[in-house]
Amino acid sequence: MTAPESVAVSAEEASQSARLYKLTNKNAMEVVVTNYGAIITSILTPDRDGKIGDVALGHRNAVEYIEAEEKPYLGALVGRVGNRIAKGVFSLGGKEYSLAINNGENHLHGGEVGFDKVLWKVESADTQSIRMSYLSKHLEEGYPGNLNVTVTYTLTDENSLIVDYVATTDQATPVNLTQHTYFNLAGEGTGNVLDHEVMLNADRFTPIDERLIPTGELRAVADSPFDFTSPKTIGRDINADDEQLKRANGFDHNWVLNKGVDATELTLAAVVYEPTTGRLLTVSTTEPGVQFYTGNFLSGKLIGKTGKAYAHRGGFCLETQHFPDSPNQPSFPSTVLKPGDTYQSQTVFAFSAR
């Protein structure tokens, strides 16, 4: 089966139909979301002195996301399947499905017109929460089944941003939703993130081949640049003489969280600290993995919402997820959603300062 052509939202349509929705709490924290791509456009949070700053890379409005020369999924909700699928092909129920190819020879982040490039329907919105839905039709970008997806963003008075995903389908299909915000806890457009200190709650990661596809191995991080079990700066090992780092041009790998791979409880994934501002980001998730990406393909050409260039490695992502290429990796936790079942996933981004 060949993927049908999907049509992205035009700038004209976005200017008419896309809106910005502001979530606020009692601590003057603010999160702005648009129904275009369910994108998080900004996150304003206090530093150790109470000074509010925007820690999310992004644009001012939907039109800027559409017209930007580079489109690295800033703040996007990614789906139907986040990350890469080898050669854009998988088999399910005895049938082979061909997906859109948009990353070398691979399928990436839902294809040419993934969930980040469509208009979502706002089901409800108030000062601290917004719920949006999208119907991904059968064979959209090549995926089988009509998939109904709902995402809810909730900003709590404890300075946590909770992301809840729910999905149902009328035909078996892979689903792997994630959030692709680029963080710079010193402030968006404030240089690179190499001095951020990171802890990842993972003793293993999934190494990749030359195509950036997991080999199927779950490799121990011990005695390697991929060991973030104790906090260390992003920059300490990012340029190490390591084949995995060279293949990805830095960190762009999936870490296997320290939990049962089929467990669904909320588990600590990562803690990130920025020493100049004291900002601290703690990420917890029900997902079995997290893709830690260090903005390796940001080039400095992309200009953000405040007119600042986004430098090489000017942001990091913590994409909570099932493992990349899971539809082709039977040893990985399954991403297949079946009719009658409900896909549910939650990730919590908790902000504080010290």
Side-chain angles (χ1 to χ4, degrees):
M1 295 184 180
T2 303
E5 182 179 356
S6 298
V7 179
V9 175
S10 68
E12 180 180 4
E13 185 180 1
S15 66
Q16 296 173 351
S17 302
R19 299 287 183 270
L20 293 172
Y21 297 84
K22 184 185 297 185
L23 310 179
T24 59
N25 70 8
K26 65 180 183 181
N27 305 314
M29 187 174 168
E30 177 182 300
V31 176
V32 179
V33 178
T34 174
N35 58 317
Y36 173 73
I39 290 170
I40 294 172
T41 67
S42 64
I43 300 173
L44 278 71
T45 187
D47 66 8
R48 65 163 65 92
D49 299 317
K51 182 181 177 181
I52 301 293
D54 191 350
V55 299
L57 279 60
H59 298 293
R60 291 177 299 176
N61 54 57
V63 173
E64 291 187 3
Y65 285 93
I66 293 169
E67 295 185 341
E69 286 188 37
E70 297 179 353
K71 298 178 174 63
Y73 303 94
L74 298 180
L77 190 153
V78 174
R80 181 175 304 195
V81 171
N83 220 302
R84 294 175 177 88
I85 295 179
K87 298 184 178 179
V89 175
F90 68 90
S91 294
L92 184 60
K95 295 181 180 180
E96 183 176 279
Y97 294 91
S98 296
L99 307 175
I101 303 298
N102 63 322
N103 182 247
E105 63 180 29
N106 302 317
H107 175 86
L108 176 67
H109 290 336
E112 294 287 350
V113 185
F115 291 0
D116 60 302
K117 297 180 180 67
V118 300
L119 286 169
W120 289 64
K121 179 182 178 182
V122 177
E123 301 286 353
S124 63
D126 57 35
T127 58
Q128 288 189 244
S129 183
I130 181 170
R131 181 165 59 93
M132 294 176 284
S133 64
Y134 177 66
L135 171 61
S136 176
K137 295 182 179 180
H138 176 56
L139 291 184
E140 181 175 290
E141 296 296 300
Y143 290 101
N146 293 296
L147 184 76
N148 284 283
V149 184
T150 300
V151 62
T152 304
Y153 294 122
T154 303
L155 177 61
T156 74
D157 283 332
E158 290 70 45
N159 287 6
S160 289
L161 175 61
I162 303 173
V163 185
D164 285 297
Y165 310 93
V166 176
T168 57
T169 184
D170 61 3
Q171 189 174 330
T173 187
V175 182
N176 187 21
L177 306 178
T178 192
Q179 225 297 322
H180 207 289
T181 291
Y182 287 71
F183 298 98
N184 185 330
L185 299 182
E188 61 90 25
T190 308
N192 63 49
V193 294
L194 298 182
D195 289 337
H196 286 56
E197 298 171 5
V198 176
M199 188 285 295
L200 299 176
N201 181 28
D203 295 331
R204 298 173 296 170
F205 77 108
T206 52
I208 54 176
D209 62 20
E210 300 83 1
R211 302 169 299 157
L212 307 184
I213 297 296
T215 63
E217 177 188 2
L218 304 183
R219 183 181 296 177
V221 301
D223 301 317
S224 83
F226 293 83
D227 189 352
F228 284 89
T229 52
S230 296
K232 69 177 182 181
T233 63
I234 293 173
R236 194 182 88 176
D237 294 326
I238 198 168
N239 294 316
D241 185 14
D242 180 274
E243 184 179 51
Q244 286 293 308
L245 290 173
K246 291 176 181 177
R247 287 176 177 173
N249 195 31
F251 295 111
D252 188 9
H253 296 72
N254 170 71
W255 271 255
V256 180
L257 296 178
N258 291 335
K259 61 190 292 186
V261 292
D262 294 318
T264 58
E265 73 274 8
L266 199 64
T267 301
L268 176 67
V271 180
V272 185
Y273 175 67
E274 200 289 305
T276 65
T277 64
R279 290 193 180 97
L280 193 72
L281 170 62
T282 302
V283 182
S284 303
T285 186
T286 57
E287 291 295 302
V290 60
Q291 186 87 4
F292 177 47
Y293 172 56
T294 48
N296 309 316
F297 297 106
L298 294 175
S299 66
K301 295 179 181 179
L302 188 65
I303 305 301
K305 57 201 161 190
T306 56
K308 298 176 183 177
Y310 289 152
H312 178 54
R313 295 173 176 161
F316 67 89
C317 301
L318 289 165
E319 305 158 56
T320 55
Q321 59 174 17
H322 274 57
F323 307 163
D325 197 37
S326 286
N328 295 313
Q329 304 267 1
S331 65
F332 288 177
S334 176
T335 56
V336 175
L337 177 65
K338 298 178 180 179
D341 293 339
T342 300
Y343 172 98
Q344 290 183 297
S345 177
Q346 183 181 83
T347 294
V348 179
F349 299 97
F351 297 89
S352 58
R354 70 181 190 210

